Amino acid sequence: MPKAIVTYVRSVDYVSEKFGLLAMYLIFMMIGVLLLNTVTRNILNIPLHWCIEMAQFTLAAYYTIGGAHSLQLGDHVRMDLIYDRLSEIGKARMDVATSAFLIFYLCTLLFGSISSMNYAIETNQRNFSMWNPSMIPIKVIMVFGIALMLAQALSTLFKDIAKARGEAIQ
Amino acid sequence: MTHELIAITMFGTMLVMLLTGQRVFAAIGFVAAGTALLLYGQGAIEMPFNAAFKLFNWFPLLTLPLFVFMGYMLSESGIADDLYKMFHVWFGNIKGGLAIGTIGLMVVISAMNGLSVAGMAIGASIALPEMLRRGYDKVMITGVIQAGSSLGILVPPSVVLVLYGMIARQPVGQLWLAGAVPGLMMATLFIVYIAVRCRLQPHLGPTLSREELDVPFAEKLRLLSAGIIPFLIFFCMTGLFVMGITSLVESSAVGATGALLAAFVRRRLTFAVIHQTVKKTLGISCMFLWIILAALAFGAVFDGIGAVRAIESLFITRWELTPWQVLLMMQLSYIFMGMFLDDTAMLVIVAPLYVPLVIALGFDPIWYGVLYTITCQIAYMTPPFGYNLFLMRAMAPKEVSLADIYRSIVPFVLVMTFGLILVMAFPQLALWLPGLVYGR
C-alpha cells in the first residue's frame, strides 16, 4: 500500500478513536441532564424546560460523533446468511465490492447535512420551543460527525483492500 | 413505473443488498437515498439527513442508550449473582429447576430493563456456565436463555413498545402495562414447558446434589433479600412512571442511576467497569440509532409514494379480506420479513404502514402493540436474522456450537407462537391491566 494511504488510515483511525472516547462519555451527560430535570421538576418544583432538549441534542451528537468509532469496532450488524460462510479474505473482498453503498449513503448524508447547516447559518435558525436555542451548533457537530464517519468508511475500505490482497495495514 | 412497482423494487433491492452482508444501515440507507434522488432529483439530497430531525423529535428514543447502559451496568454490578443464587437454592430440588430459576431470573431482569441485551449478557455469563457444569442439556439451556431474555422487550419497561408508541402515537404507559400480563404468561408457559420436558426426560435437567441443597432455612430466607434492589429499581423506574410522577425519559435516567448505585453499593464500580460499559453501550446504541436513521429515510420515501394506501387497497379492496384475515396476513408477513430484515428496521419501516390499517379496521392499537412485540420476540430468535442469535453466538462458551443455538430455539418459538395465539384470541390478557390502572 502506498505510504500516503497508510498514513491516512492511521490518522483517521486515531481521530475516530479519540472522538469515539469523547462520545462514549456523553452518556453521562444525558443521564445527568435528565436526572437534573427529574429532581428540579418533581422535588424542587422548578421546571427547567431546557433539559429534555439538551438531552436530545446530546443524543444527536452521541450517535453521529460515535458513529465512526462504532464502525471501527465493527459493531454494526450484518445479515450474515452468506457473509458468514466466506473466509476472512472473502469477507474483505465482499466488503470492498459493496462499500460503494455505504459511501454513497454517507455522501448523501453529508451533502444533506451541509446544506441543512448552511440554511441554519443563513437564517440564524432556532429550535421552535420555550428554550429557543440556536440550531447552528448541533448542525455543525452533526456535519463533523458524518464527515468523520465517511473518513472512517474510506479508511475501512483501504484496510479491506489491503486484506483482500493479502496484506495488512497496521 | 407505478407506485406499487417502485415499492416492490425498493424492497427487493434492499433484500438483495442485505444478502451481500454489507452493514444493515448502509444497505437500507443506500436504497432510501438512491430512490429519493431518482424519484425527486437533486432536491431530495437533504431527505436522508432530514431523518435525523425526525429521530430528534422522537425524543423518547433517549431511553434506548440509557437502557443499554443500564443493562450492561446491571450485569457488571453483580446483583444478578445473588439473584441467581436465590433461584438456585429455591428451585434446585425440582427436575430442570435451574432452567426454571433462570426464567425467573430473566423475568426480574426484564422488569428492570427494556431490551434483551441485559438478559443475554447475564444469562450467558452467569446462568449458562453454572447449568453446563451441572450437566444440563446445552441445547435446552441455550434456548432457555434466548427465550427468557426476549421477555425484556415484553415485560415493562420495554424499548420496543416505546418505539411502537412513537410510531402508532399511543401512550407508552398503557403499552407497558399491556405487556405485563402477557409477559408473565409467556414466562409461565416457558416454565411449564421446561417442567414437563424435564419430567419426561430427566437427563436434560438433573436435580442438584443433596449437599448443595442442604441449605438451612434461615439462609434460604436471607437469600430472598437479593430481590430487594431489583424491586427498588423497578419501583423507581416503571412504578413512578406509571403513577405519572416521572416522565418516560426521566424514568430511564432514574433507572440508569439506580444501576450505577447498585454497582457502587456492591463495590463493583471501578474505572475499568465504567469504561467497558460505556464502550459497549456506544457500540450497541450506535448500531440501533444508525439503523433507525436509515430506516426513517426509507420510510419517508415509502410514505411519499403512498405505500400505506397501496397495502390497504391490496388487502381490503383487491383480496377482500376480513379484518381478522388482514391481521393474520400482517403477522405472517412480519415473521417472513423478519427473516431477512433487521428487526428494528422492520418496526420503523413496516409498522407505519400497518398501524393506520389496524386502527381503521377497528382493532385496539394498544393490544396490537403487544401482538407486535411478541412477534418481535420471535423474530429476535429466528435465523438467519435475530439479535438474540447474534448475541448468543458472540457470548456462548465454546462447547455450544452454532447448530446447538439454532436447534435450541425451536421448542421456544413454538411456545411463543402459542402465547401469541392466546393473546390474539383473548385481548383481555393485554388490555385488562391498563384498563384497571388508567380506567380505559
Side-chain angles (χ1 to χ4, degrees):
Chain A
M1 281 276 143
K3 202 162 167 241
I5 290 185
V6 177
T7 319
Y8 172 83
V9 168
R10 281 191 190 146
S11 35
V12 168
D13 279 8
Y14 180 82
V15 174
S16 296
E17 197 192 324
K18 292 299 162 200
F19 276 99
L21 216 57
L22 177 80
M24 273 176 215
Y25 283 91
L26 285 179
I27 187 103
F28 289 115
M29 185 155 150
M30 288 185 250
I31 297 176
V33 169
L34 290 174
L35 209 59
L36 178 71
N37 193 46
T38 317
V39 172
T40 54
R41 197 174 65 93
N42 295 303
I43 301 172
L44 305 177
N45 226 348
I46 320 168
L48 299 177
H49 39 252
W50 54 267
C51 285
I52 303 279
E53 256 175 299
M54 191 63 210
Q56 282 172 277
F57 285 128
T58 316
L59 179 70
Y62 180 75
Y63 73 82
T64 43
I65 294 184
H69 190 46
S70 68
L71 198 62
Q72 197 176 18
L73 293 173
D75 279 327
H76 290 276
V77 283
R78 302 157 180 275
M79 151 92 187
D80 52 3
L81 190 61
I82 298 169
Y83 188 79
D84 209 42
R85 296 183 191 171
L86 302 173
S87 64
E88 283 304 305
I89 288 186
K91 280 182 186 162
R93 283 190 184 142
M94 191 62 136
D95 274 348
V96 172
T98 59
S99 65
F101 306 140
L102 172 64
I103 290 166
F104 175 84
Y105 174 54
L106 289 175
C107 282
T108 30
L109 273 182
L110 186 62
F111 277 121
S113 63
I114 291 173
S115 130
S116 173
M117 178 183 72
N118 286 339
Y119 171 81
I121 293 172
E122 278 158 24
T123 61
N124 195 17
Q125 192 189 9
R126 288 178 171 276
N127 202 23
F128 191 70
S129 68
M130 247 158 91
W131 182 28
N132 203 19
S134 169
M135 291 299 279
I136 299 171
I138 188 61
K139 287 197 177 174
V140 172
I141 291 175
M142 288 172 89
V143 168
F144 172 73
I146 293 168
L148 188 62
M149 184 102 167
L150 182 59
Q152 183 61 47
L154 286 171
S155 160
T156 309
L157 172 64
F158 289 137
K159 278 188 274 188
D160 283 334
I161 293 176
K163 219 195 269 172
R165 291 167 45 174
E167 303 164 27
I169 298 180
Q170 216 37 251
Chain B
M1 263 213 257
T2 65
H3 286 173
E4 277 130 358
L5 205 58
I6 297 173
I8 291 168
T9 316
M10 275 178 83
F11 239 102
T13 321
M14 182 171 67
L15 294 186
V16 173
M17 303 235 338
L18 285 170
L19 279 176
T20 64
Q22 179 51 262
R23 297 160 190 87
V24 170
F25 86 89
I28 299 173
F30 170 75
V31 177
T35 320
L37 287 174
L38 281 177
L39 282 178
Y40 308 112
Q42 242 192 328
I45 193 96
E46 269 195 42
M47 211 163 164
F49 179 71
N50 282 341
F53 284 89
K54 178 136 193 211
L55 203 157
F56 188 82
N57 287 328
W58 278 7
F59 70 90
L61 260 189
L62 272 167
T63 52
L64 176 77
L66 298 195
F67 274 136
V68 177
F69 172 80
M70 187 186 171
Y72 279 121
M73 206 68 221
L74 283 176
S75 77
E76 293 288 347
S77 72
I79 62 171
D81 300 344
D82 287 358
L83 278 171
Y84 186 75
K85 213 177 289 164
M86 173 183 98
F87 283 114
H88 184 132
V89 169
W90 279 87
F91 289 98
N93 58 350
I94 310 172
K95 291 193 185 75
L98 293 189
I100 292 172
T102 303
I103 296 286
L105 174 68
M106 292 299 168
V107 171
V108 178
I109 305 289
S110 301
M112 290 189 285
N113 199 260
L115 285 162
S116 61
V117 183
M120 288 296 296
I122 290 168
S125 64
I126 300 168
L128 195 62
E130 288 284 322
M131 288 194 282
L132 280 175
R133 210 153 54 81
R134 290 185 172 74
Y136 271 62
D137 179 58
K138 59 184 178 174
V139 174
M140 189 183 70
I141 57 181
T142 311
V144 165
I145 288 168
Q146 292 195 70
S149 66
S150 78
L151 292 172
I153 60 171
L154 186 58
V155 173
S158 154
V159 172
V160 170
L161 283 172
V162 170
L163 207 55
Y164 176 87
M166 285 187 291
I167 292 167
R169 294 171 197 276
Q170 297 299 320
V172 173
Q174 294 197 14
L175 285 166
W176 278 7
L177 286 181
V181 175
L184 295 176
M185 179 193 82
M186 198 68 95
T188 315
L189 290 176
F190 291 155
I191 290 176
V192 170
Y193 163 74
I194 297 167
V196 171
R197 183 89 194 267
C198 289
R199 181 154 284 274
L200 297 176
Q201 294 166 288
H203 63 277
L204 293 180
T207 47
L208 295 188
S209 63
R210 195 154 293 161
E211 304 86 78
E212 256 193 305
L213 283 174
D214 194 22
V215 179
F217 195 69
E219 175 69 11
K220 274 189 169 183
L221 280 182
R222 199 196 59 81
L223 278 170
L224 280 181
S225 67
I228 294 176
I229 294 181
F231 179 77
L232 282 178
I233 292 180
F234 175 75
F235 176 78
C236 292
M237 222 167 71
T238 310
L240 293 182
F241 169 64
V242 169
M243 288 192 277
I245 295 170
T246 51
S247 73
L248 176 63
V249 286
E250 284 171 0
S251 77
S252 66
V254 170
T257 314
L260 270 170
L261 283 177
F264 177 73
V265 169
R266 301 185 44 92
R267 298 170 189 281
R268 298 281 185 98
L269 200 64
T270 61
F271 180 73
V273 164
I274 293 179
H275 186 72
Q276 276 309 312
T277 308
V278 293
K279 190 171 179 178
K280 284 189 241 171
T281 306
L282 180 84
I284 299 261
S285 308
C286 279
M287 174 199 89
F288 277 125
L289 287 163
W290 278 87
I291 290 176
I292 294 173
L293 184 68
L296 279 173
F298 191 98
V301 178
F302 235 47
D303 205 34
I305 58 175
V308 179
R309 259 187 294 148
I311 288 187
E312 205 178 308
S313 73
L314 179 71
F315 279 171
I316 298 176
T317 322
R318 207 172 304 168
W319 290 353
E320 295 179 347
L321 298 180
T322 65
W324 275 94
Q325 284 170 328
V326 174
L327 197 76
L328 215 61
M329 281 294 296
M330 287 188 209
Q331 296 311 110
L332 287 177
S333 64
Y334 268 136
I335 293 180
F336 175 73
M337 279 188 284
M339 291 179 181
F340 302 98
L341 193 53
D342 160 85
D343 309 318
T344 313
M346 200 164 73
L347 181 56
V348 177
I349 294 171
V350 186
L353 304 179
Y354 284 178
V355 172
L357 195 55
V358 167
I359 298 174
L361 290 172
F363 291 114
D364 190 317
I366 301 277
W367 167 70
Y368 186 69
V370 175
L371 291 189
Y372 178 78
T373 308
I374 300 176
T375 318
C376 246
Q377 275 185 290
I378 298 175
Y380 270 32
M381 291 174 56
T382 39
F385 204 108
Y387 288 127
N388 283 13
L389 282 175
F390 288 143
L391 289 168
M392 194 74 218
R393 235 159 32 185
M395 294 173 181
K398 276 191 297 297
E399 58 259 55
V400 180
S401 70
L402 194 60
D404 291 336
I405 297 179
Y406 281 171
R407 256 178 36 219
S408 70
I409 60 158
V410 177
F412 288 98
V413 166
L414 292 177
V415 172
M416 285 160 114
T417 312
F418 178 64
L420 179 67
I421 293 169
L422 280 183
V423 180
M424 279 174 104
F426 305 103
Q428 279 309 312
L429 284 173
L431 297 176
W432 171 73
L433 193 59
L436 193 70
V437 174
Y438 290 100
R440 261 159 53 91

